[in-house]
Amino acid sequence: MDVLDLARWQFGITTVYHFLMVPLTIGLSLLVATMQTAWVRTGDRKYLAMTKFWGKLLLINFAMGVVTGIVQEFQFGMTWSAYSRFVGDVFGAPLAMEGLVAFFVESTFLGLWIFGWDRLPRKAHLACVWAFSLASIASAYFILAANSWMQHPVGVEMVDGRPRLTSIWEVLGNNTVLAAFPHTIFGAFAVAAAFLVGVAAWQLWRRNADEPVWRSSVKLGTWVGVVAFAGLSVTGDLQSKLMFEQQPMKMAAAEALCHTESPAGFSVFAVGDVSRPDCENVKSITVPALLSFLAHGDFTTEVKGVQELVPLYQEKYGANYPVDERLGELSGRPIDYVPMLPVTYWGFRLMIGFGAISAGVGLLVLWLTRGGRTPRGTWFKWLALGSIATPFLGNSFGWIFTEMGRQPFVVVPNPTGVDGVWMFTARAVSNSTPGEVLTSLVALTLVYGVLACVEVFLIRRYVRGGVAGVLPDPKPDGPAGRPGPEPGSKSDDDVLTFAY
C-alpha cells in the first residue's frame, strides 16, 4: 500500500471511531438537561435519578470523546500537511471558534455542573447543564462549517494558488452547512434516544427496583427517536437536493446510476456487481421517478449518470493527474472521477435502513412495555441491547458515504464558485514514507482499541449498577435512628450528591 491508501485508512478509522462518541454526547447532554429541568420543576425524585444515572454515562462518553478528538488535530499536520497548508487560511477562523467554545464554555460549565450539585442553587446548577449542552451544539456547528466548506467552497479568493478567506459569514452561512447541521443534530438525538431505550428496556427486563425511572426513560427515548427519524428524513431530502446541484457525481454514485435517466427512479435494492460503472448485469428494484423528486422536487427532472458525468469532469478538471513525483504511482495517470460504487450505494442504503430500524424498535419497545407490561423472554433483552447499535451504524455509514462519495477530491470544486478552489486527495498527503504512516496507523488503532475497551468497561459497570450506583437511597433511617430526608427537601441536596 502507498502513502495515500494508508493515510486514508488512518483518517477513516480514527474519524469514524471518534464520531461514535460525538453524537451520543450531543444528544444525551440535551436529554439530561431536560431530565434535570423536570426535576427542578416538579421535585420528583424519579427525574433526579434519571439525571444522575444518564449524566454519569454522559460524562464517561464525553471524556473519551475529548481524548479521541485531540488526535484529529494532530493527524492533519502529521499525515495531511499539504491539505493543511491549502485550507489553513480558511479553517483557522471556524476551528478557533470551535476551540473556544469546546474548551472554554463547554469545559467551564461542565465542571460547574459536576462539582456544583451541593454548592450551587438548583436553578443556577440547571443553567450550567443547559449552557454545556448548547455549547456542544455550537461546537458541532463550527466543525460542520469547516467540513461543509470542503464539500462546497465559498467565501474565498485564490491568492498564490491557495484559497484566502474573504468572508467568514459566507463560510458560516454556507447552504451546505445549513442543511448538514440539523441533519447531524437529529442523528445525535437518534443515537441518544436508542441508547436510552436500549439500556432502560434491559433494566426493566432485569426487574430492577427503580422501574419508574426506566419506564420514563423508555418513553422519552422512544418519542425523541421517532421525532429524530422524521427530522432526518426531512433534512436528508434537503441535502439530496443540494447534492444534485453541488456534487452530481456523488448523487449518481449513491444510486449506482450508470446512465442518465429522465425521470430517474430510486433504487431500493440492487442485485449484481454495482462496482462496474457500466452497470452491466445489475438488476434493481426501483421506485419510479422518486430520485428525480429527491434531486429537484419534481418527478420529471433528468439525473445524469456516471457514464455521462465522467467526460464533463474530465473537460473541466483535467483527464490526468499532473506529472509530480509527490503523487507517486498516480503521477501523470488518468483521474478516476467515479467513487467506489459499492461503498456509496450500499452505504447510503445502510444509513437509511439502520435509522428506520432504530425508530421501529423504539416504537415496538414502547408497545411491549405499555400498561406496566415487560416481556420476560431472553429475546427482549437482546432486542433492547442490539437496538443501541443501529443509529451508531447509521451515523457511521452516513459519514462514510459523505466523505468517500466526494472522491477523488478532498476539497470539492464549487460549480458556481471561484475557479481553481479544489484539491485532489492524492495531492493532500504529507511527504512521508509508507513505513511512517503505517507505524502511526497501527499505533493509533491499538490505542483506540484500548480506549474502546475502557469505555465499554466503564459504561457496562455503571449500567449494571443502575440508580443505586449514583444515587444513595434517602429512605432508610439516619445514623441516629432518625428518618432520612424526604426526596426534594432542602437537606436532600447533601444526601443526593453525584459521586464523581
Side-chain angles (χ1 to χ4, degrees):
M1 297 182 74
D2 59 16
V3 171
L4 176 60
D5 290 332
L6 291 169
R8 291 181 67 186
W9 271 107
Q10 177 178 284
F11 183 81
I13 290 171
T14 56
T15 302
V16 169
Y17 180 90
H18 175 61
F19 198 72
L20 292 175
M21 298 161 190
V22 171
L24 182 58
T25 294
I26 294 173
L28 198 55
S29 66
L30 287 164
L31 294 182
V32 169
T34 302
M35 296 170 191
Q36 187 169 341
T37 301
W39 172 63
V40 170
R41 289 176 63 101
T42 67
D44 190 335
R45 185 176 181 273
K46 172 182 67 176
Y47 297 119
L48 176 62
M50 291 171 64
T51 302
K52 293 203 168 188
F53 175 79
W54 297 110
K56 174 70 77 172
L57 302 182
L58 166 65
L59 291 178
I60 293 170
N61 186 76
F62 177 81
M64 289 296 175
V66 170
V67 173
T68 57
I70 291 174
V71 175
Q72 305 302 311
E73 305 288 341
F74 289 105
Q75 186 176 220
F76 288 132
M78 180 175 62
T79 313
W80 301 93
S81 58
Y83 160 81
S84 299
R85 288 191 293 271
F86 185 77
V87 302
D89 291 344
V90 181
F91 278 20
L95 293 185
M97 294 174 183
E98 190 276 334
L100 290 171
V101 170
F103 291 100
F104 286 90
V105 179
E106 277 186 89
S107 301
T108 298
F109 285 102
L110 179 61
L112 289 171
W113 186 65
I114 292 172
F115 299 107
W117 276 93
D118 55 350
R119 295 174 176 85
L120 294 175
R122 285 189 181 181
K123 291 185 178 180
H125 188 253
L126 175 63
C128 291
V129 70
W130 276 109
F132 161 69
S133 302
L134 296 176
S136 68
I137 292 179
S139 177
Y141 188 89
F142 294 126
I143 291 293
L144 287 170
N147 180 271
S148 295
W149 187 88
M150 295 156 59
Q151 310 284 343
H152 183 236
V154 294
V156 296
E157 62 179 0
M158 291 296 289
V159 178
D160 298 329
R162 290 171 53 185
R164 177 175 293 176
L165 184 66
T166 58
S167 174
I168 183 60
W169 302 114
E170 286 190 45
V171 174
L172 296 180
N174 191 343
N175 57 4
T176 306
V177 70
L178 295 179
F181 174 69
H183 193 70
T184 303
I185 297 303
F186 279 122
F189 275 119
V191 168
F195 189 67
L196 256 67
V197 171
V199 171
W202 179 77
Q203 294 282 15
L204 285 174
W205 178 83
R206 293 177 68 200
R207 298 179 184 270
N208 193 288
D210 298 287
E211 185 170 306
V213 171
W214 310 125
R215 290 197 179 277
S216 295
S217 295
V218 166
K219 289 180 181 179
L220 176 62
T222 298
W223 291 117
V224 169
V226 171
V227 171
F229 182 71
L232 285 168
S233 301
V234 173
T235 54
D237 178 65
L238 295 175
Q239 286 191 300
S240 297
K241 290 172 172 54
L242 285 177
M243 182 166 52
F244 172 70
E245 298 174 2
Q246 298 171 359
Q247 300 184 47
M249 182 63 81
K250 183 187 287 187
M251 169 67 84
E255 291 299 308
L257 183 67
C258 299
H259 303 285
T260 299
E261 294 183 8
S262 178
F266 179 84
S267 174
V268 178
F269 191 84
V271 177
D273 185 9
V274 297
S275 65
R276 294 172 58 93
D278 57 7
C279 294
E280 187 175 342
N281 299 323
V282 174
K283 304 292 184 182
S284 293
I285 301 172
T286 61
V287 179
L290 181 57
L291 182 59
S292 292
F293 178 80
L294 294 175
H296 199 252
D298 59 59
F299 294 98
T300 59
T301 295
E302 177 185 88
V303 180
K304 292 188 180 298
V306 169
Q307 293 288 328
E308 287 72 33
L309 285 170
V310 168
L312 298 178
Y313 275 73
Q314 289 176 336
E315 180 182 356
K316 193 164 187 178
Y317 309 114
N320 296 78
Y321 284 107
V323 177
D324 188 338
E325 62 179 10
R326 291 176 297 178
L327 294 175
E329 297 178 355
L330 294 177
S331 177
R333 296 185 62 179
I335 302 170
D336 185 3
Y337 286 104
V338 183
M340 294 181 64
L341 294 181
V343 174
T344 54
Y345 179 84
W346 291 113
F348 188 69
R349 275 137 197 84
L350 289 170
M351 173 188 67
I352 297 172
F354 279 120
I357 291 172
S358 177
V361 170
L363 288 173
L364 177 61
V365 169
L366 185 65
W367 172 258
L368 293 173
T369 57
R370 71 193 186 283
R373 301 177 180 88
T374 302
R376 296 302 171 191
T378 304
W379 63 270
F380 183 73
K381 174 184 73 172
W382 293 116
L383 175 70
L385 295 177
S387 67
I388 296 174
T390 53
F392 284 98
L393 292 170
N395 269 284
S396 297
F397 282 115
W399 273 109
I400 290 171
F401 163 73
T402 298
E403 300 307 303
M404 294 193 67
R406 69 182 177 194
Q407 297 304 316
F409 297 102
V410 67
V411 176
V412 182
N414 181 347
T416 60
V418 180
D419 289 337
V421 185
W422 75 79
M423 189 178 202
F424 291 116
T425 306
R427 305 203 70 169
V429 294
S430 301
N431 187 22
S432 304
T433 65
E436 291 171 339
V437 182
L438 180 61
T439 300
S440 63
L441 168 62
V442 173
L444 289 174
T445 303
L446 290 175
V447 170
Y448 275 30
V450 172
L451 291 175
C453 293
V454 171
E455 176 159 14
V456 170
F457 169 78
L458 291 174
I459 288 181
R460 181 177 180 273
R461 175 182 175 183
Y462 284 102
V463 165
R464 293 184 68 86
V467 172
V470 296
L471 188 61
D473 189 352
K475 295 179 181 179
D477 290 347
R482 297 185 299 273
E486 290 296 321
S489 66
K490 183 176 180 180
S491 59
D492 193 41
D493 285 342
D494 297 323
V495 176
L496 308 178
T497 303
F498 255 127
Y500 286 123

